[in-house]
Amino acid sequence: MVQIVPSILAADFARLAREIETVERGGASMLHIDVMDGHFVPNLTVGPPVVSSIRKATRLTLDVHLMITDPDKYAPAFIEAGANQVSVHQEACPNLDRTLRMIRDEGARPGVVLNPATPVTLLEDVLALVDYVLIMSVNPGFGGQRFIPRALDKIRRLDGLRSDLGLDFAIEIDGGITTENLAGVVRAGCDWIVAGSSIFHTPDPAAAVAEMRQIAQGAAAVRV
Ligand code: DX5
Ligand code: ZN
């Protein structure tokens, strides 16, 4: 089933537990946590202690997106803190095969992320190792950016590779998702749709999640 995955980057961190309850009420079952180190991307966010506090506050699946230069060094701490799934950037991992296996060995579901400039062909040899592939539809580092339409083509190609190889990893998209472009990404083959501003920067985030779920389910129903 297609999932709407709220990104807490756009939430009010002083009231985080309540923000999380709100999106859960709207029907979210996963929560996206953006980890930035000021090196891989020009911004800073949260570390393992925050993930650990969130873990105590919710039973939602915690989807941790590592935008850091040394994921091998830090992924275990995020898993220990309660991350259920951890994604790493292809661009940050010289030994990607090893990194993905390590995440699974440490007890989380591994995912791999592609920046807008990185082609899906580079993933061919690791697709069998991952539970999900995250396609960035903005350059990572900030919420509230505009969706890059070329991501649609990448999703279609990845969806094609998935069936050609007989694999069943999920396809996730992240960046600039709105009620306007949501149906298009689902029709292109996305399973998990990350959304920050278009959920938390609305007067009623629970209603925003519910509306997006409805749009996504409608689009999935007409997908082949
Ligand atoms: C961007 C982050 C995204 C961000 C998306 O680097 O990876 O998860 O929170 O925010 P919106 O939905 O506002 O583009
Ligand atoms: Zn993200």
Side-chain angles (χ1 to χ4, degrees):
M1 200 188 7
V2 181
Q3 308 269 356
I4 301 298
V5 189
S7 166
I8 60 162
L9 189 62
D12 178 351
F13 276 73
R15 323 170 38 248
L16 196 49
R18 268 181 289 164
E19 296 270 64
I20 294 169
E21 278 168 31
T22 305
V23 292
E24 190 168 1
R25 198 157 22 86
S29 57
M30 288 164 65
L31 202 64
H32 187 79
I33 304 175
D34 288 307
V35 176
M36 306 185 187
D37 67 351
H39 293 276
F40 183 70
V41 289
N43 201 359
L44 290 160
T45 57
V46 301
V50 175
V51 173
S52 172
S53 296
I54 294 173
R55 180 70 293 161
K56 291 183 196 113
T58 183
R59 291 163 74 173
L60 295 185
T61 298
L62 301 184
D63 176 38
V64 172
H65 175 191
L66 296 182
M67 286 161 275
I68 64 178
T69 48
D70 198 348
D72 295 82
K73 184 168 171 193
Y74 296 104
F78 284 96
I79 297 166
E80 175 73 31
N84 302 97
Q85 47 199 52
V86 173
S87 61
V88 294
H89 275 256
Q90 186 276 341
E91 303 84 3
C93 297
N95 302 296
L96 184 56
D97 178 290
R98 178 192 289 149
T99 307
L100 295 168
R101 290 177 195 275
M102 177 272 287
I103 291 169
R104 198 179 295 284
D105 288 347
E106 292 285 330
R109 291 189 285 275
V112 63
V113 194
L114 289 186
N115 272 341
T118 311
V120 293
T121 46
L122 286 183
L123 293 187
E124 225 171 291
D125 291 297
V126 293
L127 288 176
L129 299 177
V130 299
D131 283 22
Y132 61 111
V133 177
L134 169 50
I135 300 290
M136 290 307 298
S137 40
V138 298
N139 287 289
F142 303 93
Q145 302 181 79
R146 193 187 293 267
F147 181 82
I148 298 172
R150 223 183 128 63
L152 288 170
D153 201 46
K154 286 171 84 167
I155 294 160
R156 282 188 214 103
R157 269 180 287 142
L158 186 59
D159 189 31
L161 266 178
R162 177 167 61 177
S163 25
D164 291 351
L165 299 170
L167 296 170
D168 66 351
F169 57 83
I171 301 179
E172 183 173 34
I173 190 154
D174 185 9
I177 297 294
T178 64
T179 47
E180 276 76 52
N181 57 28
L182 172 57
V185 302
V186 172
R187 281 196 299 265
C190 271
D191 307 290
W192 302 344
I193 323 289
V194 177
S197 326
S198 59
I199 290 175
F200 289 107
H201 294 174
T202 64
D204 186 348
V209 175
E211 185 190 0
M212 292 180 99
R213 287 185 78 218
Q214 202 167 26
I215 295 171
Q217 272 148 27
V222 297
R223 195 159 78 177
V224 235

